[in-house]
Amino acid sequence: AQKVTQAQTEISVVEKEDVTLDCVYETRDTTYYLFWYKQPPSGELVFLIRRNSFDEQNEISGRYSWNFQKSTSSFNFTITASQVVDSAVYFCALSHTNSGNEKLTFGTGTRLTIIP
Amino acid sequence: DTGVSQDPRHKITKRGQNVTFRCDPISEHNRLYWYRQTLGQGPEFLTYFQNEAQLEKSRLLSDRFSAERPKGSFSTLEIQRTEQGDSAMYLCASSLAEVYTIYFGEGSWLTVV
């Protein structure tokens, strides 16, 4: 069975601090994709990144960076120099690709609050 | 704006009434998904379409739920005889097959009183 665990329910940091959101996953698939989505109070899930299981290179996009470690089944997300606009709930998700259906299994989310 | 759009954004209904939500996916996307999200939880998969064919339904989708995607464009999700447990946000998403990136709409909040 597929499972995504986000152990941090809530995190609060002061603006400009760095923060890392943890994500641990379980899957028996050999090919899979991992995602991060941001959900602001408006409710829309905003796509941030997709990573496939064969690409373990870390990725940086502006203040965001992602660390994918297959050996520990983790896909952690770091925000550098946090800003108030980063306040949201962040979800890590895992896709089932073997059946051709890109159905996602989500974690329970981490609520991030950036204190001005 | 050419993202996924959902309507209505909010719906309050009395228990036992029927409700219908509409989703317009990104225009070139051939896959469309419905998810349900309750407070404090991540979204849970309900069903998905490839073009007009409904290819998979979750066990969460009881007989009171029906989804359609006529002509492979917009989709509707109908809930019959609503129950308080149906109160949730219903999220629609779309993707292009084999691209493996799913884009979500803003969701439709349902409150059953």
Side-chain angles (χ1 to χ4, degrees), chain B residues 46-105:
Chain B
L46 292 179
T47 188
Y48 103 100
F49 293 83
Q50 176 143 328
N51 301 313
E52 66 275 11
Q54 187 173 20
L55 297 185
E56 187 171 342
K57 293 195 292 186
S58 161
R59 287 172 295 177
L60 294 174
L61 213 64
S62 76
D63 291 345
R64 296 183 297 105
F65 288 70
S66 62
E68 294 181 344
R69 193 183 183 197
K71 303 178 184 178
S73 55
F74 72 92
S75 175
T76 58
L77 177 68
E78 181 183 18
I79 308 173
Q80 296 182 325
R81 304 182 304 281
T82 51
E83 301 173 357
Q84 286 188 322
D86 297 331
S87 295
M89 181 164 70
Y90 291 86
L91 286 157
C92 179
S94 70
S95 72
L96 199 54
E98 309 302 324
V99 175
Y100 299 113
T101 300
I102 299 178
Y103 294 93
F104 284 82

Side-chain angles (χ1 to χ4, degrees), chain A residues 8 10-21 63 79-84 86-87 90 110-116:
Chain A
Q8 305 150 308
E10 296 190 28
I11 300 176
S12 294
V13 299
V14 176
E15 196 173 18
K16 298 183 184 175
E17 287 185 353
D18 300 346
V19 58
T20 295
L21 309 183
R63 296 184 297 107
I79 302 174
T80 303
S82 59
Q83 299 176 2
V84 172
D86 296 328
S87 296
Y90 290 85
T110 298
R111 180 176 299 277
L112 176 64
T113 302
I114 308 299
I115 303 165

